[in-house]
Every structure is written in C-alpha cells, then in structure tokens.
Amino acid sequence: MRKVVKFLAAVAAIVVAAGVQQNAEAAFVGAPMGLRGAIQYIKFDQPTLAPMAFTIFCLKYKDECKPRPQQIVFRGGRLKLTAQRLVQMQEVNKRVNGAIRPEPNLEGLRGEKWLLHPASGDCNDYAVTKRHDLIAKGFPARSVLLSEVVTSWGEHHLVVVVRTFSGDLVLDNLSGHIMSWSKKPYRWVRIQSPKNPNYWASLGDRAV
C-alpha cells in the first residue's frame, strides 16, 4: 500500500514540476499492473440512514441528489484514474480549501447547513462543494461520494471519496494532499451509495 501512495505522490510531483500533462499521463499509465493487488477499496456494508443535514441539503439543492439512471454502475462504479483526472482532483481540492474560510459550527446538529460555495463554512460545505465541482468537470456522480468519518479527536467530519481502479482517494479540507482512504486516521461511519446518492451505507472492514 505504501508503494501505491508513493507512486501517486510521484505522479503529483511530475505534474507540478513539469507542468506538462502529456508527460504526467505517460508516467501514470505506465504503472506496473502488479500494484493493483496491493490497492485497498472501501467495502460497503449495511444500508443506513443518511445524515439529517444531508436530507435538508437535498431539499435545497435538488439537482445534487438526483439519481442518474443513465450512468450505469459498472464494476462497482469506479473510474480510471488518468493523469488529467488526478490534476483536476488536486485543483478542486486546493481551490475549494482556499476559497472557503473555516468557520466551526458551534451549535451541533441544529447548526448544520450544508452549502455550496459559501464564503465561510465547516467541513460539510467543503465536501459538498468539492463533489459538485468534480461532477461539473465530468466526473461521474457514481464515483464521487460523500462520506462521514470520525476524527482521532472524536469529531464527526465529512470528506469526499473518489472511487477509482487505482484505489479510493480522499479529498479533505484538513489536508492539501489527496490520500488513499486507508491512510487517513479516521473511523469510517457511512458513505453514499454509487447507485443512488440518496442512499447511504455503513462501511465494513478495510479489505481489498
């Protein structure tokens, strides 16, 4: 698994240093097939209730929660992680992290308001904005999922998971780096379903 993370970091360095996407694509596509066996994927467990704030979010932003029947969930809904997509993910993660001013929610569940592109907000606003922007760039909704986690200090937190054949990668407002989900120091609680964004599931063990 460490090799995979180092490889993704190396690709990112190539993209930034060289600034030539064609070269980065060539470097990425040339990854050894043997690495695939070390990749860990999120395992969906039992259906569970969506966060209440998500239900309210869907009432406000109906298009964000529309099932997309035209997008067939093929092979688990994963996408091929090309160099171009990696660059787009990095750009969205960096831009949204910088555009929204951190503002903690001190009112608990009562104060949760998931907003797209607010001037200030908490982790929920970062996550839904990143998901919206990635889908606007052509990422299939089935592969870009919101996930609730618990941090090492016991706080509930929302991140975006992009499900690829190269692993499940996390966009997080607490980090400028896109990392494998298995490398994040979180307890994973629940995640959107690839088949229908309104449905959520609990997460099973970290198994390949």
Side-chain angles (χ1 to χ4, degrees):
M1 188 64 210
R2 186 177 302 170
K3 292 182 179 179
V4 177
V5 175
K6 286 184 177 179
F7 173 70
L8 290 176
V11 172
I14 291 173
V15 173
V16 174
V20 181
Q21 185 172 315
Q22 183 176 2
N23 290 344
E25 266 187 27
F28 187 87
V29 174
M33 292 296 292
L35 289 178
R36 293 180 181 271
I39 295 171
Q40 290 186 325
Y41 298 131
I42 285 176
K43 180 182 178 183
F44 289 73
D45 200 1
Q46 300 296 319
T48 190
L49 293 175
M52 179 58 68
F54 171 77
T55 303
I56 298 173
F57 169 78
C58 289
L59 292 175
K60 182 178 178 65
Y61 301 102
K62 293 182 173 61
D63 288 344
E64 298 296 310
C65 305
K66 280 184 178 179
R68 302 171 189 260
Q70 73 276 14
Q71 292 186 349
I72 301 174
V73 179
F74 177 64
R75 295 185 66 182
R78 301 185 185 281
L79 56 80
K80 182 179 179 182
L81 182 59
T82 63
Q84 179 183 8
R85 282 178 171 148
L86 181 60
V87 169
Q88 290 175 324
M89 289 166 57
Q90 292 170 329
E91 187 275 325
V92 167
N93 195 56
K94 180 178 180 180
R95 174 170 47 78
V96 175
N97 282 356
I100 300 176
R101 185 175 69 254
E103 183 179 6
N105 171 25
L106 303 178
E107 299 182 25
L109 293 176
R110 183 178 59 181
E112 283 199 1
K113 297 177 182 179
W114 297 15
L115 302 174
L116 292 176
H117 300 102
S120 62
D122 60 12
C123 62
N124 306 302
D125 306 306
Y126 288 95
V128 296
T129 298
K130 290 176 186 178
R131 180 177 184 271
H132 171 86
D133 288 1
L134 286 173
I135 292 173
K137 287 181 176 294
F139 281 62
R142 68 178 185 270
S143 302
V144 186
L145 308 177
L146 300 173
S147 183
E148 180 186 353
V149 301
V150 177
T151 66
S152 58
W153 55 93
E155 181 179 337
H156 283 257
H157 182 55
L158 197 70
V159 297
V160 176
V161 174
V162 179
R163 306 183 71 225
T164 81
F165 290 113
S166 299
D168 293 330
L169 306 178
V170 179
L171 282 70
D172 190 345
N173 67 292
L174 298 181
S175 174
H177 302 288
I178 295 173
M179 298 174 61
S180 165
W181 80 289
S182 63
K183 290 295 183 181
K184 302 295 287 188
Y186 297 146
R187 176 169 64 85
W188 294 79
V189 180
R190 52 187 164 181
I191 188 170
Q192 283 181 298
S193 166
K195 295 182 180 180
N196 187 322
N198 295 289
Y199 298 154
W200 289 60
S202 57
L203 276 72
D205 295 333
R206 298 189 178 192
V208 175

